[in-house]
Amino acid sequence: MKQKVFLFILMISMLFVFFACQDSTDANKYKVKLQPVSNLKGFVVDSLSAGLTWTKSVDEARGDFASYLISAIKPDGGVEKTTNAAKGEDSVIITNLKKNLIYTFKVVTKVSTLSENGIDSDPVTVNWCPGWMRLQPITDLMSFSVSNTSIGFKWTKSANETHTDFLNYVLKVAKPNKVVVQEITVPKGTDSVIVTGLENGVIYTSEITAFASPTSLVFTASDPVKIKWAPAWRFDQINTNPINVYETSSSPDSMSGLIIYDPVSKQSKTEKLLGIDSVLIDFYIHTVPDTLDRTSRVALRSSHLFRKNRKFIRFSTVNENSETLENPQLAPPDTSTYSLFEFSVDSVATPTSKIHYFRAKPGNYGRLLIMRNPDNGTLLWGTSPAQYLRFKISYQSVIENIYSKK
């Protein structure tokens, strides 16, 4: 009997020791970490101070939220200073730091000491040096669709490129859900790049940041410059032939219209105006009667103007001189400008080819490059009454995708 009592007491003692030795990690595994701050950035104050700004924790509304703890950590790992920021604050200035020292600033979302089910957030850090200046960002960032899987970018280089501490540019390309799909390092001295391997019709948010050497005591990275743009189909030929569309005064076998995007071949396709697939034509070339000034003219017209119940297309009032569809833009024309069912093309000499913007039914946007004829310097090719226009096309097969959003 005494032996059983002894064993019972021993088991109780062991259980007591076991639970007493459980560390705080085991106790904390049933608690919830507070959400950290986000978008932590430094800003310039003076040579002995550092400014920090952030996006507040989404857990500020919790009753056990306490404050933000900010630490200034020296390169050797020692803590120079700590300070607190109260609920609702999203910035702080830390003074009396050392000049020309690159600190790591750490921000932790703190939980109340009375909390029963919360613990401090993971730390968020940023490197900053008192007296640092941000590099001048790039300017005039523009884009264009190269193909259905690639986008081109063009910009004016940072004004600080000549400084010895200037390192390079970094281009990040992200999907609408903010997931970065490409990150490309671009050497200094470069002002354009083409990004491949993208998805057709997706409007990507792209940003370019200028970076300084990580050891610089003068500069840190610039603010990013952003633009939104989408890849789009490109049609430069039909099979191996140029895209030529003939005017209505041509013979019945020649006068034609253009199907901008044939979903079967995934290409542009010319079709006789009275052909079997003529109901699919988006636009045609109408012969304009001769005028007193003897200038030859044609009109590029929506298909429904040739025959009722056919497809219609609207053209923007905005057009541009360009020899190529690799024509970078800040943004496409505003949707309110797509108001024309037709526009004229005459035999007056022009310095370049010309881009016209369109919106086809049921809502596909695109660009038409009307090619300049090098033989006569106009946009008209051939001889009346069988003149034609020659095109290259950029087309959004995704409905209501206007390439980019301002």
Side-chain angles (χ1 to χ4, degrees):
M1 181 67 178
K2 290 181 179 180
Q3 187 177 11
K4 289 183 178 180
V5 171
F6 174 77
L7 289 173
F8 177 76
I9 294 173
L10 180 62
M11 290 176 62
I12 294 296
S13 300
M14 290 177 66
L15 287 172
F16 177 79
V17 171
F18 174 78
F19 285 111
C21 291
Q22 294 302 292
D23 59 28
S24 60
T25 302
D26 289 329
N28 285 340
K29 70 182 180 180
Y30 299 108
K31 295 185 177 182
V32 178
K33 281 186 181 181
L34 293 187
Q35 290 295 308
V37 302
S38 57
N39 300 318
L40 177 62
K41 296 179 181 178
F43 61 86
V44 177
V45 181
D46 57 48
S47 61
L48 297 176
S49 305
L52 300 176
T53 183
W54 59 83
T55 300
K56 293 175 287 187
S57 167
V58 296
D59 282 336
E60 271 207 3
R62 284 177 53 137
D64 56 358
F65 177 95
S67 64
Y68 299 110
L69 176 65
I70 300 99
S71 305
I73 303 170
K74 296 180 291 187
D76 63 5
V79 177
E80 179 82 39
K81 270 194 165 188
T82 60
T83 188
N84 283 279
K87 176 188 293 189
E89 295 184 359
D90 59 5
S91 65
V92 69
I93 294 177
I94 303 175
T95 59
N96 298 321
L97 297 172
K98 289 184 174 62
K99 186 177 182 180
N100 294 338
L101 196 65
I102 300 177
Y103 290 88
T104 298
F105 291 94
K106 180 174 69 174
V107 180
V108 176
T109 306
K110 299 290 292 181
V111 71
S112 168
T113 56
L114 301 177
S115 176
E116 296 182 353
N117 63 352
I119 55 177
D120 295 345
S121 75
D122 292 327
V124 178
T125 62
V126 66
N127 290 336
W128 193 262
C129 177
W132 253 353
M133 294 183 293
R134 287 199 178 276
L135 288 171
Q136 289 295 309
I138 65 165
T139 54
D140 302 321
L141 177 58
M142 298 181 285
S143 287
F144 57 92
S145 301
V146 180
S147 72
N148 64 318
T149 58
S150 55
I151 301 174
F153 299 89
K154 182 79 169 65
W155 61 88
T156 298
K157 293 175 285 187
S158 166
N160 295 138
E161 258 210 12
T162 56
H163 198 283
T164 54
D165 287 355
F166 189 97
L167 184 62
N168 55 31
Y169 301 106
V170 173
L171 166 64
K172 293 182 180 180
V173 182
K175 284 188 171 182
N177 61 5
K178 299 184 180 180
V179 173
V180 175
V181 295
Q182 296 219 30
E183 183 171 325
I184 300 170
T185 299
V186 182
K188 65 188 296 185
T190 306
D191 63 1
S192 63
V193 69
I194 292 176
V195 178
T196 61
L198 304 176
E199 294 180 34
N200 174 58
V202 175
I203 299 179
Y204 292 89
T205 298
S206 302
E207 65 177 41
I208 298 180
T209 306
F211 278 88
S213 167
T215 60
S216 175
L217 299 177
V218 181
F219 288 112
T220 186
S222 73
D223 290 322
V225 178
K226 299 182 180 182
I227 193 169
K228 292 186 177 184
W229 212 269
W233 291 94
R234 282 286 296 277
F235 309 126
D236 293 344
Q237 295 178 315
I238 297 176
N239 297 322
T240 58
N241 300 312
I243 304 174
N244 297 334
V245 182
Y246 283 81
E247 64 180 324
T248 51
S249 59
S250 306
S251 68
D253 286 337
S254 296
M255 62 177 183
S256 54
L258 185 70
I259 301 170
I260 293 175
Y261 179 75
D262 175 29
V264 176
S265 64
K266 291 183 170 57
Q267 295 287 328
S268 291
K269 177 183 176 183
T270 53
E271 177 66 25
K272 296 176 184 178
L273 279 177
L274 301 176
I276 189 170
D277 287 333
S278 59
V279 294
L280 302 177
I281 289 173
D282 289 286
F283 68 81
Y284 69 104
I285 308 302
H286 175 69
T287 303
V288 178
D290 197 5
T291 60
L292 293 177
D293 62 10
R294 315 306 297 176
T295 300
S296 180
R297 289 187 179 88
V298 297
L300 197 153
R301 307 181 79 187
S302 171
S303 185
H304 81 283
L305 297 179
F306 180 79
R307 183 167 292 174
K308 291 182 179 180
N309 300 322
R310 287 194 175 182
K311 292 176 68 175
F312 65 84
I313 184 172
R314 293 181 185 271
F315 303 100
S316 173
T317 54
V318 176
N319 59 77
E320 297 160 356
N321 291 328
S322 177
E323 287 297 345
T324 174
L325 285 169
E326 270 74 72
N327 183 45
Q329 298 294 310
L330 294 170
D334 188 81
T335 53
S336 63
T337 66
Y338 294 81
S339 58
L340 305 177
F341 285 126
E342 65 176 306
F343 61 88
S344 296
V345 177
D346 58 35
S347 59
V348 176
T350 179
T352 67
S353 301
K354 193 174 288 287
I355 292 176
H356 285 264
Y357 295 84
F358 67 82
R359 184 179 188 273
K361 192 177 181 180
N364 302 95
Y365 287 89
R367 298 177 292 155
L368 295 174
L369 179 64
I370 306 178
M371 302 300 297
R372 179 177 179 270
N373 183 345
D375 293 336
N376 59 24
T378 78
L379 300 181
L380 294 177
W381 298 65
T383 304
S384 180
Q387 297 176 122
Y388 59 91
L389 299 181
R390 178 169 290 179
F391 299 97
K392 292 185 178 181
I393 300 165
S394 174
Y395 178 77
Q396 281 290 351
S397 58
V398 177
I399 295 172
E400 301 300 344
N401 180 343
I402 194 168
Y403 291 86
S404 78
K405 306 293 184 184
K406 292 184 180 179

